[in-house]
Amino acid sequence: MTDPLKDPTPLQPNYLPENLYNRQEEQKPLENLTSDNSAPQNLFLHGPRGTGKTHVTHFALEKSDRKCYVPCTQHDTQYKALKQILRGLNEEVNDGHHTSDLQRKVVEKTKAVHTVIILDDIDFLLLNDGDDLLYFLTRMETRNSVDLVLISSNHTGLKSQIEERTYSSLQPQRINFEPYTAEETYQILVERARKALVNQSLQKAALTYITSTTQNISVGLHWLKHAAETTDSVITESHVQQVQKKAYEKYAANLLNRFTEHHRLLYQAIRELDVEENTIKTGKIYTRYEELCKAYNENTLSKRRLSDYLKHLELVDLIEAEYHYGGSKGKTRDVNLVTL
Ligand SMILES: Nc1ncnc2c1ncn2[C@@H]1O[C@H](COP(=O)(O)OP(=O)(O)OP(=O)(O)O)[C@@H](O)[C@H]1O
Ligand SMILES: [Mg+2]
């Protein structure tokens, strides 16, 4: 009996491999951004979760030394995003400035120096005042020295989420990240497994089961890692099936790390209710959430805030929601938990 795990690092979702499999076409327009003399460009990278959008961007722009990476899950207002952009330009700013001060600083800092600004998971910013930020970035004085990379996995396109005037000054070049096939998923995961696991410790049928169940590489990586951690012999198909649910929980927990304790409580409320019924009304979710807050000694947030937080869970694909408008309660939602 031997532990199949040789080195867990290649199975970590933030591990950047030396080569990305089959994404050369998507990589090319990003690599072109680092050549200084081209006209400013706006790229819009779009595709389902776990298709390599973030890593392809990091990979292609590795050599560019003037880039500002903004994960909009955390920096979801114009103010926070501007602060993060300035951080990328080596300018730390305290709170208490006016938005226009920060805008002015961005203009100063991007004068004559080619800069790439990456707004990852931009949908979170567009829930707030992201449109104003995009409008500013596409119209600012130093526009010619700035390229924009917008990344989204939202099902609705960019056009319907921003104002017409913003879209027309943005005119983004769209780069689609098509979902991987089961075969491509296999190739990507087997490469990671080779680096992370002891020889002969993963049965082909086990990996085939994973790659036919999910084509989200992040889910696959969590699954492989959890399977390896929970056996001290060969990883078999039946072991992989046994840990399927738990592995997805690990993936979800990792996603939720970027958010607040209240996002986690809300998600826990939905998971608990999902055991009892398939489609869950928002009213029930809020009640269960309040009970959980009491149990954990947390203050409860307003329904308004919780409604935003539910939208966040929907954007990261942990839940699906169907909206109903009208009636005495205004907008209500039927929520379904997404599972593997
Ligand atoms: N073509 C590929 N070759 C090797 N590894 C890949 C490839 N595509 C994705 N991965 C790996 O899959 C994981 C998920 O990739 P990434 O985070 O870039 O996806 P994403 O599309 O940004 O997902 P999300 O929308 O959830 O943010 C990473 O560990 C990444 O290294
Ligand atoms: Mg990403």
Side-chain angles (χ1 to χ4, degrees):
M1 298 242 177
T2 48
D3 183 355
L5 207 53
K6 182 168 67 180
D7 172 13
T9 316
L11 297 181
Q12 309 281 18
N14 53 3
Y15 169 85
L16 198 59
E18 303 98 71
N19 283 305
L20 290 167
Y21 180 81
N22 243 356
R23 284 293 189 212
Q24 287 79 4
E25 277 304 303
E26 293 81 354
Q27 225 164 281
K28 232 181 269 162
L30 286 152
E31 280 166 352
N32 288 342
L33 298 182
T34 49
S35 51
D36 280 341
N37 297 329
S38 57
Q41 297 198 47
N42 302 321
L43 305 181
F44 177 57
L45 278 50
H46 186 260
R49 297 224 157 252
T51 50
K53 301 179 296 297
T54 299
H55 275 197
V56 166
T57 305
H58 283 312
F59 196 80
L61 296 175
E62 217 172 9
K63 291 192 190 82
S64 139
D65 45 19
R66 290 280 287 190
K67 58 179 177 244
C68 306
Y69 177 73
V70 184
C72 300
T73 40
Q74 284 107 313
H75 307 275
D76 63 352
T77 61
Q78 165 165 224
Y79 196 87
K80 289 183 196 166
L82 283 167
K83 268 186 82 171
Q84 174 71 3
I85 291 170
L86 285 167
R87 200 166 291 138
L89 298 169
N90 297 321
E91 174 92 11
E92 274 299 332
V93 282
N94 314 325
D95 281 329
H97 289 274
H98 195 269
T99 305
S100 59
D101 294 335
L102 301 189
Q103 290 179 337
R104 210 170 312 118
K105 277 179 195 288
V106 169
V107 172
E108 260 168 43
K109 283 279 182 180
T110 49
K111 257 183 201 150
V113 191
H114 179 256
T115 305
V116 183
I117 295 177
I118 305 146
L119 299 172
D120 199 352
D121 272 316
I122 188 162
D123 307 280
F124 286 84
L125 189 60
L126 295 176
L127 289 178
N128 302 313
D129 53 355
D131 187 76
D132 296 336
L133 175 68
L134 283 183
Y135 190 71
F136 161 73
L137 290 174
T138 51
R139 293 290 176 111
M140 65 183 178
E141 206 181 295
T142 49
R143 176 67 191 106
N144 282 343
S145 57
V146 175
D147 292 319
L148 295 177
V149 178
L150 316 179
I151 306 177
S152 163
S153 31
N154 197 353
H155 313 284
T156 51
L158 187 62
K159 206 167 183 175
S160 61
Q161 293 189 78
I162 60 179
E163 291 194 24
E164 224 175 292
R165 61 169 199 171
T166 311
Y167 195 84
S168 74
S169 45
L170 197 62
Q171 296 290 342
Q173 179 192 341
R174 190 185 167 104
I175 302 166
N176 278 328
F177 279 67
E178 295 300 330
Y180 292 121
T181 60
E183 175 56 27
E184 287 171 321
T185 310
Y186 188 95
Q187 293 305 331
I188 294 167
L189 290 182
V190 84
E191 196 50 44
R192 296 288 178 97
R194 252 183 224 126
K195 289 184 184 139
L197 304 178
V198 171
N199 263 351
Q200 313 282 331
S201 64
L202 174 65
Q203 272 188 359
K204 190 165 190 254
L207 190 56
T208 305
Y209 181 81
I210 293 178
T211 60
S212 61
T213 311
T214 182
Q215 286 80 48
N216 177 335
I217 306 294
S218 294
V219 174
L221 288 169
H222 276 93
W223 200 347
L224 262 184
K225 184 159 173 284
H226 185 63
E229 282 166 353
T230 47
T231 181
D232 52 9
S233 61
V234 172
I235 303 169
T236 60
E237 183 179 6
S238 78
H239 180 62
V240 155
Q241 285 168 347
Q242 261 170 37
V243 299
Q244 175 162 347
K245 210 166 153 229
K246 191 75 201 164
Y248 186 75
E249 280 172 28
K250 295 241 164 180
Y251 164 77
N254 183 265
L255 263 185
L256 287 169
N257 269 341
R258 303 176 210 172
F259 298 95
T260 67
E261 186 57 28
H262 289 273
H263 286 89
R264 290 187 275 278
L265 289 171
L266 204 55
Y267 183 63
Q268 188 180 335
I270 299 167
R271 277 190 41 209
E272 288 180 13
L273 289 165
D274 176 72
V275 179
E276 298 155 21
E277 52 202 309
N278 279 339
T279 298
I280 313 156
K281 297 259 181 250
T282 29
K284 278 200 167 178
I285 296 173
Y286 296 156
T287 309
R288 182 62 64 98
Y289 157 84
E290 280 168 9
E291 289 164 8
L292 287 172
C293 284
K294 219 178 252 166
Y296 291 111
N297 248 337
E298 290 272 353
N299 291 327
T300 51
L301 296 182
S302 69
K303 296 227 163 67
R304 174 87 207 269
R305 283 282 283 287
L306 292 175
S307 168
D308 290 345
Y309 285 16
L310 272 183
K311 184 74 205 168
H312 296 162
L313 297 182
E314 193 188 341
L315 278 180
V316 289
D317 290 330
L318 287 179
I319 61 168
E320 287 168 349
E322 196 180 316
Y323 291 79
H324 303 283
Y325 297 91
S328 58
K329 289 188 182 147
K331 186 175 78 175
T332 60
R333 261 175 283 202
D334 285 340
V335 169
N336 282 302
L337 187 72
V338 174
T339 51
L340 196 58

